[in-house]
Amino acid sequence: MEQPLPAHHPGGVGSPRRHRGRGKGLAPYLLSLPAGLWLLVLFVVPLFIMLSITLKTCSPASGACVMTWQWGELPHVVNQYRGQFVTSLVFAFFATLIDLVISFPIAYWIAFYGGRRKNFFLIMLLVPFFVSFIIRTLVWEFILSNNGVVLSFLRGNHLVPSSFHVLGTGLAVVAGLAYNYLPFTALPLYVALERIDRRVLNAANDLYATRRVTFMRVILPLAIPGIFAAFLLTFIPAFGDYVNQEILGGTSNTMIGTVIQNLFLIDSDYAGGASLSAVLLVISLLGIWLYARLLGSRTIEEYL
Amino acid sequence: MSDTSTTSVTPGSVNVSLSDVTKSFDGVVAVDQLNLTINDGEFFSLLGPSGCGKTTTLRMIGGFEEPTSGRIVLGGRDVTYTAPYHRDVNTVFQSYALFPHLDVYENVAFGLRRKKVAKDEVKKRVGAMLEIVDLPGYEKRRVNQLSGGQQQRIALARALVNEPALLLLDEPMSALDAKLRHQMQIELKSIQSRVGITFLYVTHDQEEAMTMSDRLVVMRQGKIEGIGSPQDVYDNPSTEFVATFLGASNLLAGTIASRGQEITAVALENGTTLQVPTARVATSTVGSVVKVGVRPEKIRIHVSGSTTTTGNTLRGRVRVSTFTGVGNQYIVEMASGEDITVYAQNIGEELAPRSGEEVELSWPIEHTFAVRPAENVISSDELAS
């Protein structure tokens, strides 16, 4: 490939050649233009629209919003929906925890014992997730329903009381969240474990570390950035999720995502919905900020 | 470990011995019935081209591979199937394999902590070790902030601080540039004599092995081709491979014509007869095919008829003459078409023969050796280091 000509290059005196050099300098910017526009139009602009709505007052009847610079809506909705925030935090936390516990051995096994079939195992892990999110969740509804295979079997064998049910409880929501976000946990964990230099593990064995000590003193510390990344990548979307709660949950365990959806689509309270969304955004950013502070911003580029 | 401490080493006692050790990977034999004994306090090298089985041998002694068959005895204890963390052996890895999440101090202290050495003692020994590898005050540095040479010293310190019975070094200098490598060779040798620990050094670099080793083996295709002190192995190569891998040799095909008590005569294909000390002939049967060898620096070159020659003599014409500063390198073509390489030191004694001149080559009989031709053709890949 031809390098851009330096300005003092004797052959670069003629203007056409210089022109070409400048065109090459612009190439990276031109190449990033489509992605940049995409990000601007479909992400940055809507974000500012949403943030601006928090300062507007909207008429519930017509849905029309007028800028009033009132930010009172923010503390108001946070206060009003504090319970749903807590529910979301608890559900998302437990779902993420379950995912970490399930994914770690899977990722560990694939990374260390997958051999030449690593990619095959990874694809096997991901294949179920090629099916639409909604359909998968609906199938869980079917599986966990009172007359579904699982509960019929358990009741039939008198393993659970006849009044026992899962659907409509927090347990069902946590299970649904854990199921739906599993790849977001498993993949960063896999990446973190896969990149650990095997020779470093040999060195630990060589320096009298048993397999257990090697795991605790070398593998786990080296996997920490991946574990944290897996936590964030699972926790953040699970926290804002409303589909699992809508389909699998009941009326008593509403999550904040459902509240936002209702405010926008049913109550036409755009300012309230936007305010809650802004809070959700800040909480997510706090998580990423914490990650950068603790583990450095370079690891963010590698995992998130 | 302090400078004044003396390790309780009985010189000459066996440190590690391998008997009939074989290792195959999916049916491919990497190490073939290896028998080897290394003595306490020795600096011992395994030398050979890549793929000769030297690293596999080291990894079996370290416990990272299990032999397919055979026995490894370390300090009188059979460790053939013992896990690496239960062996009194430490390793300096080719890539150093330092712990990236730990600082220099914690890297060096890692082994001592696993052995539950008291904190004060750990501190003392790590400090003393960093002095020995000439990196005092580096305790708090992160390992990825260190240069290649510094990382190498830390890897050495991390292994040596445990005072193992045997230290394994797996091509530890392959990532260093030539100048640094040379400096580290001298330093490593001096550290070894100070600490008195047995070193087993794996390398493909013959100069490195010769510079540092008390004894060395040359390996090829999973087998030992030659063993002894560097000078023994160099001056009296036991096989064609050793003769070409360790330094350069002129090898001429011939057959054994007669065999006496002292001198064996070998007839070359061109009719010339060369005399070889019988002790330096690999096979004694009259009529068997051998290769007669002589090192290029052992040969004297002079313009035909200028002096009388003694010992073995060959005639030829200078095809290429190259001045290298410390000397001249000549490639002399004989009537048979075979080339002989000669190094003449630049001591300003004689007029250097020029290209195209007829010359006589001569060397003392005692510098001649005869080896059996290699069964498998020696490829240029094996000789490139």
Side-chain angles (χ1 to χ4, degrees):
Chain A
M1 214 166 64
E2 201 180 320
Q3 294 296 311
L5 291 165
H8 61 268
H9 191 278
V13 179
S15 58
R17 294 192 76 167
R18 233 191 240 176
H19 224 82
R20 239 175 65 198
R22 198 177 296 155
K24 291 219 165 169
L26 282 174
Y29 301 101
L30 290 171
L31 283 171
S32 64
L33 197 61
L37 276 177
W38 171 279
L39 207 62
L40 186 74
V41 174
L42 298 172
F43 183 77
V44 179
V45 171
L47 181 68
F48 275 97
I49 292 175
M50 188 203 80
L51 288 175
S52 74
I53 293 174
T54 63
L55 300 172
K56 287 178 181 174
T57 308
C58 303
S59 135
S62 64
C65 293
V66 186
M67 179 58 85
T68 51
W69 299 104
Q70 279 194 349
W71 55 275
E73 191 65 14
L74 198 78
H76 173 70
V77 286
V78 170
N79 219 13
Q80 189 179 350
Y81 297 109
R82 197 192 294 146
Q84 284 85 340
F85 262 115
V86 173
T87 306
S88 299
L89 279 173
V90 172
F91 282 7
F93 179 78
F94 279 108
T96 309
L97 208 63
I98 291 169
D99 276 347
L100 283 173
V101 170
I102 294 174
S103 305
F104 198 92
I106 299 174
Y108 185 88
W109 188 84
I110 298 178
F112 286 94
Y113 301 101
R116 263 172 284 172
R117 295 221 179 127
K118 277 178 189 170
N119 288 334
F120 171 75
F121 292 130
L122 281 180
I123 288 178
M124 290 313 285
L125 186 68
L126 294 179
V127 158
F129 298 93
F130 294 168
V131 177
S132 151
F133 182 67
I134 305 284
I135 292 172
R136 275 183 285 125
T137 313
L138 285 170
V139 173
W140 272 107
E141 184 192 14
F142 177 72
I143 293 170
L144 295 176
S145 71
N146 289 337
N147 302 315
V149 271
V150 178
L151 289 191
S152 303
F153 175 80
L154 291 176
R155 268 200 304 266
N157 290 286
H158 303 287
L159 293 168
V160 293
S162 57
S163 64
F164 183 79
H165 64 106
V166 178
L167 219 55
T169 65
L171 186 68
V173 182
V174 171
L177 287 172
Y179 166 72
N180 276 314
Y181 292 105
L182 186 81
F184 294 90
T185 325
L187 289 181
L189 284 180
Y190 168 76
V191 171
L193 293 168
E194 163 67 20
R195 67 166 56 179
I196 293 176
D197 189 342
R198 300 304 186 268
R199 294 168 297 197
V200 169
L201 305 185
N202 269 347
N205 283 163
D206 185 66
L207 294 162
Y208 318 116
T210 57
R211 290 162 71 107
R212 194 182 62 81
V213 174
T214 303
F215 180 80
M216 297 304 292
R217 296 279 175 176
V218 182
I219 296 177
L220 212 53
L222 287 174
I224 288 283
I227 294 172
F228 206 162
F231 185 89
L232 280 184
L233 283 173
T234 313
F235 182 81
I236 291 172
F239 182 52
D241 186 274
Y242 69 93
V243 174
N244 285 282
Q245 201 277 328
E246 285 276 281
I247 297 174
L248 304 171
T251 45
S252 59
N253 47 35
T254 314
M255 288 174 74
I256 203 68
T258 314
V259 173
I260 294 173
Q261 189 221 15
N262 287 342
L263 287 178
F264 271 114
L265 300 181
I266 297 172
D267 302 342
S268 297
D269 181 1
Y270 297 146
S275 299
L276 283 181
S277 303
V279 174
L280 215 57
L281 186 72
V282 169
I283 291 175
S284 306
L285 287 175
L286 269 176
I288 294 170
W289 175 80
L290 200 67
Y291 184 98
R293 277 307 295 269
L294 293 177
L295 301 164
S297 50
R298 260 196 42 213
T299 46
I300 286 197
E301 285 172 36
E302 289 167 13
Y303 288 99
L304 294 185
Chain B
M1 183 181 324
S2 72
D3 291 0
T4 51
S5 79
T6 47
T7 22
S8 54
V9 162
T10 328
S13 66
V14 172
N15 180 293
V16 61
S17 72
L18 281 71
S19 15
D20 286 327
V21 171
T22 296
K23 175 71 183 178
S24 38
F25 296 100
D26 301 325
V28 179
V29 177
V31 174
D32 196 358
Q33 305 234 320
L34 200 74
N35 285 291
L36 187 63
T37 301
I38 299 167
N39 299 324
D40 260 337
E42 257 189 317
F43 196 122
F44 195 96
S45 292
L46 294 178
L47 174 65
S50 61
C52 74
K54 57 190 191 299
T55 297
T56 307
T57 306
L58 176 124
R59 287 179 62 81
M60 286 191 287
I61 298 171
F64 307 114
E65 307 278 359
E66 278 185 4
T68 311
S69 64
R71 253 159 54 92
I72 299 171
V73 176
L74 182 76
R77 187 171 144 239
D78 188 327
V79 296
T80 314
Y81 302 106
T82 308
Y85 41 84
H86 288 138
R87 297 185 189 209
D88 195 8
V89 169
N90 291 112
T91 310
V92 178
F93 293 88
Q94 184 170 10
S95 53
Y96 316 138
L98 298 175
F99 301 117
H101 60 297
L102 300 176
D103 61 16
V104 165
Y105 182 86
E106 286 301 325
N107 262 280
V108 178
F110 194 91
L112 297 176
R113 291 207 193 285
R114 303 288 85 75
K115 288 206 288 190
K116 308 266 187 266
V117 172
K119 262 194 172 155
D120 293 351
E121 176 77 3
V122 172
K123 199 163 181 227
K124 214 178 79 194
R125 279 166 72 172
V126 171
M129 204 62 235
L130 289 177
E131 292 277 352
I132 289 182
V133 298
D134 208 17
L135 287 173
Y138 275 66
E139 283 89 344
K140 292 284 157 255
R141 298 280 186 100
R142 293 200 67 86
V143 291
N144 52 19
Q145 292 170 337
L146 303 178
S147 71
Q150 290 170 334
Q151 289 189 23
Q152 212 243 330
R153 286 153 195 263
I154 296 304
L156 181 65
R158 184 179 70 170
L160 269 184
V161 76
N162 305 295
E163 298 179 21
L166 173 65
L167 184 77
L168 307 175
L169 301 104
D170 183 11
E171 307 223 13
M173 302 199 191
S174 56
L176 304 181
D177 63 64
K179 204 174 161 191
L180 197 55
R181 190 156 50 204
H182 197 73
Q183 184 194 332
M184 275 307 293
Q185 283 168 17
I186 296 162
E187 234 172 283
L188 194 63
K189 178 72 189 170
S190 91
I191 287 173
Q192 194 263 341
S193 27
R194 272 165 80 189
V195 297
I197 290 171
T198 313
F199 277 32
L200 177 57
Y201 193 96
V202 161
T203 182
H204 65 270
D205 184 326
Q206 42 117 352
E207 191 207 317
E208 204 169 277
M210 285 203 278
T211 310
M212 295 187 291
S213 314
D214 297 319
R215 283 199 304 151
L216 57 82
V217 298
V218 179
M219 284 183 76
R220 184 188 183 219
Q221 296 173 346
K223 289 186 170 133
I224 291 179
E225 293 262 334
I227 181 165
S229 73
Q231 190 167 358
D232 272 354
V233 178
Y234 181 85
D235 280 343
N236 195 5
S238 45
T239 65
E240 182 185 353
F241 181 75
V242 175
T244 43
F245 186 77
L246 209 61
S249 291
N250 294 297
L251 291 169
L252 302 166
T255 39
I256 295 183
S258 69
R259 179 173 174 267
Q261 196 85 53
E262 300 280 314
I263 301 293
T264 296
V266 179
L268 299 186
E269 280 157 1
N270 64 7
T272 322
T273 299
L274 293 178
Q275 291 177 303
V276 190
T278 301
R280 306 186 70 185
V281 182
T283 172
S284 54
T285 331
V286 173
S288 54
V289 176
V290 291
K291 284 197 171 178
V292 181
V294 59
R295 298 287 188 182
E297 72 278 5
K298 300 277 165 61
I299 304 174
R300 288 193 57 160
I301 184 167
H302 28 82
V303 178
S304 287
S306 60
T307 41
T308 48
T309 56
T310 54
N312 285 317
T313 315
L314 288 172
R315 287 167 186 285
R317 181 196 297 272
V318 176
R319 194 158 63 80
V320 184
S321 163
T322 322
F323 179 65
T324 60
V326 294
N328 279 290
Q329 180 183 330
Y330 303 99
I331 297 173
V332 177
E333 190 178 10
M334 297 191 302
S336 62
E338 286 171 295
D339 280 342
I340 300 236
T341 306
V342 180
Y343 299 141
Q345 242 190 339
N346 181 11
I347 48 178
E349 216 175 25
E350 285 171 56
L351 211 59
R354 284 186 297 266
S355 292
E357 266 188 299
E358 295 286 340
V359 288
E360 271 178 4
L361 308 175
S362 64
W363 66 92
I365 293 169
E366 64 263 32
H367 289 152
T368 323
F369 57 86
V371 293
R372 226 172 296 182
E375 282 167 34
N376 307 312
V377 177
I378 299 165
S379 69
S380 56
D381 278 357
E382 286 180 281
L383 300 179
S385 53

